[in-house]
Amino acid sequence: MADLPGMTRYWHPFADMGAVDASGELAIVRGEGAYVFDAVGKRYFDATAGLWYCNVGHGRSEIADAAARQMRDIAAYNNYGDLTTPAATELAERVSALAPVPASRVFFVSGGSDAIDSAGKLARRYWYELGKPEKTVLLSRRNAYHGVNGFGTSIGGIEANREGYGPLLESAQVDWDSPSALDETIRRLGEDRVAAFFCEPVIGAGGILPPPDGYLAEVRRICRDRNVLFVADEVITGFGRCGHWFASERFGLDPDLLTCAKGITSGYVPLGALVISPRVAEPFLRPGVMWRHGYTYSGHAAACAAALANLDILEREGLIGRAAELEHDLVAALEPLAGHSLVREVRGGTGVLAAVAFVDGDHALPARTLAALRRLGVLSRLLADGALQISPSFVSTRADLDALADAIAAAVEVAAGEHR
Ligand SMILES: Cc1ncc(COP(=O)(O)O)c(C=O)c1O
């Protein structure tokens, strides 16, 4: 087939490549705080903090300098066996101290999907080491997003992301808001078959669904009572997005395993981590036992150096507390939109996380609104149900959020007008 005029060699993630070829790419060339710029200098409010990751905002030369310094010394070295770099060891100490998992160990990976697959493997292997090799089934929630690797695809709660791959791993999805659905599923499958329950404290890509009151405490209790490991997927909520270092702290979750990524470096360099409780670590510390798992870039020194500089900024500038304030600012700024005739609902209220869902009836309305927003100087994206994702960086101001709400109201009017 002949190349189309606008065709790119770059196959974009989660992209309708036919549409990209037809309409072209938007290249972002620079970022500054809560804003990014394209190649012709047009400024956009970054309503999504990249992809839920840029907690400290763009253009922080302190992070670039830390990574560059580390690269000049040594960019990375294999961390298998007894090898490490000071940056990896220091970051593990720091993440372990920040995470609400006392005496935890920290296993580094390259992103959220790796963290999830590592958690799935470790959970199953844990039960194997305890003489219960039949405890292999992984549970998760409908609408959940746990990345795109093998385990993450298998336990994903967004059906479209699982389709077309043939048999996946053994898993079951339960209603996202119902502790009794989890309890019944564990009973049906049998406690002796279920390894772990994966849970985003606030469902992110599946639509920004904050936990119903009491939900998290109840599912945590069920997992404890039924001897099922509780895995908090904090890839989005970790490093401040819910106004605490981790949402597990806010909700008292005491997870057996905790996955994180994104905000650990604010996205300056890819990095993820699996925080492992002493309970899960214990069988692997026995003589002769070894977890045969690891990635080339586990504990990549330059990534860890960037993370340390990012944590310094979060601490020094009090950005976790700022995120707690922004949670309220975001609700207040978006509130007027809930009364708009073209808006079905505004979801949020837990963390710097919100979604604006549009009325049904016109399937193209969300996409047209997104395009209009872009013209108005706001970059966002659509979540699984077509709602707009709002998850800005912690350096955003109340004025930024008010302007964002105004832009959304204007964009949806423009989009509706295009249809008439
Ligand atoms: C809750 C959650 N888990 C896992 C992932 C996968 O992370 P990554 O895209 O870094 O592989 C994501 C990504 O958005 C996520 O939101």
Side-chain angles (χ1 to χ4, degrees):
M1 202 173 96
D3 289 358
L4 295 168
M7 191 183 138
T8 171
R9 292 283 161 214
Y10 176 32
W11 188 321
H12 297 220
F14 274 97
D16 171 347
M17 283 310 297
V20 174
D21 277 345
S23 17
E25 300 164 295
L26 173 66
I28 299 302
V29 301
R30 195 167 70 80
E32 206 180 293
Y35 291 83
V36 295
F37 299 81
D38 68 15
V40 297
K42 181 175 162 82
R43 188 178 90 139
Y44 303 86
F45 178 65
D46 178 9
T48 57
L51 207 44
W52 331 82
Y53 53 70
C54 198
N55 294 0
V56 300
H58 299 283
R60 298 280 196 166
S61 46
E62 181 178 341
I63 302 179
D65 292 344
R69 258 196 317 276
Q70 180 64 55
M71 285 183 189
R72 276 190 211 101
D73 288 346
I74 184 160
Y77 199 75
N78 128 47
N79 279 192
Y80 284 23
D82 65 345
L83 292 166
T84 187
T85 58
T89 300
E90 188 185 339
L91 183 63
E93 296 281 345
R94 206 141 156 205
V95 171
S96 173
L98 289 171
V101 186
S104 52
R105 307 262 180 159
V106 181
F107 185 89
F108 290 118
V109 297
S110 300
S113 297
D114 289 354
I116 288 291
D117 274 40
S118 298
K121 284 180 73 175
L122 189 58
R124 289 173 65 158
R125 187 66 202 247
Y126 167 80
W127 293 115
Y128 175 90
E129 292 300 335
L130 293 194
K132 298 184 174 178
E134 64 291 344
K135 264 172 97 70
T136 51
V137 182
L138 302 176
L139 304 182
S140 57
R141 296 156 80 196
R142 299 217 164 80
N143 302 308
Y145 182 75
H146 298 296
V148 293
N149 288 356
F151 280 74
T153 302
S154 299
I155 63 173
I158 301 171
E159 277 304 314
N161 292 349
R162 301 160 52 96
E163 276 166 24
Y165 300 110
L168 296 169
L169 284 166
E170 295 169 285
S171 79
Q173 282 66 56
V174 300
D175 285 347
W176 72 275
D177 55 352
S178 164
S180 60
L182 174 66
D183 200 40
E184 279 155 26
T185 302
I186 297 173
R187 277 176 206 276
R188 179 172 53 77
L189 294 167
E191 244 177 81
D192 51 345
R193 292 281 290 117
V194 180
F197 173 56
F198 284 67
C199 180
E200 292 169 272
V202 176
I203 286 181
I208 309 280
L209 305 171
D213 279 350
Y215 173 85
L216 291 172
E218 191 58 11
V219 290
R220 183 65 189 101
R221 184 194 61 74
I222 291 167
C223 288
R224 202 173 276 121
D225 290 356
R226 305 220 158 264
N227 217 13
V228 166
L229 294 179
F230 183 89
V231 185
D233 184 352
E234 296 232 31
V235 168
I236 288 176
T237 53
F239 300 97
R241 195 152 282 281
C242 285
H244 288 68
W245 280 98
F246 292 91
S248 291
E249 180 191 339
R250 174 168 175 168
F251 293 104
L253 295 183
D254 187 23
D256 296 305
L257 291 168
L258 183 156
T259 56
C260 56
K262 297 185 187 283
I264 192 170
T265 61
S266 286
Y268 278 71
V269 186
L271 182 70
L274 175 61
V275 179
I276 303 163
S277 65
R279 172 193 181 179
V280 176
E282 188 277 325
F284 298 91
L285 305 178
R286 294 176 189 169
V289 181
M290 154 181 181
W291 189 27
R292 300 194 63 82
H293 180 79
Y295 300 87
T296 297
Y297 299 126
S298 283
H300 189 282
C304 292
L308 287 167
N310 173 61
L311 298 185
D312 286 346
I313 294 172
L314 285 166
E315 277 174 1
R316 193 180 61 234
E317 297 186 8
L319 289 176
I320 308 297
R322 176 68 194 128
E325 289 166 13
L326 274 177
E327 169 175 320
H328 300 289
D329 287 351
L330 194 55
V331 169
L334 297 181
E335 204 165 31
L337 283 174
H340 196 288
S341 61
L342 295 167
V343 171
R344 181 162 50 83
E345 61 176 353
V346 177
R347 296 189 290 267
T350 306
V352 193
L353 289 165
V356 179
F358 302 105
V359 288
D360 299 328
D362 173 3
H363 289 311
L365 187 65
R368 281 203 312 272
T369 303
L370 190 67
L373 259 184
R374 195 184 274 195
R375 292 195 296 275
L376 291 170
V378 173
L379 282 184
S380 180
R381 63 190 284 271
L382 301 181
L383 297 166
D385 71 339
L388 277 181
Q389 174 183 331
I390 314 292
S391 57
S393 75
F394 306 164
V395 295
S396 309
T397 63
R398 174 64 200 263
D400 289 329
L401 301 182
D402 287 336
L404 169 69
D406 289 347
I408 295 171
V412 70
E413 292 287 349
V414 170
E418 285 168 355
H419 182 56
R420 281 184 206 119

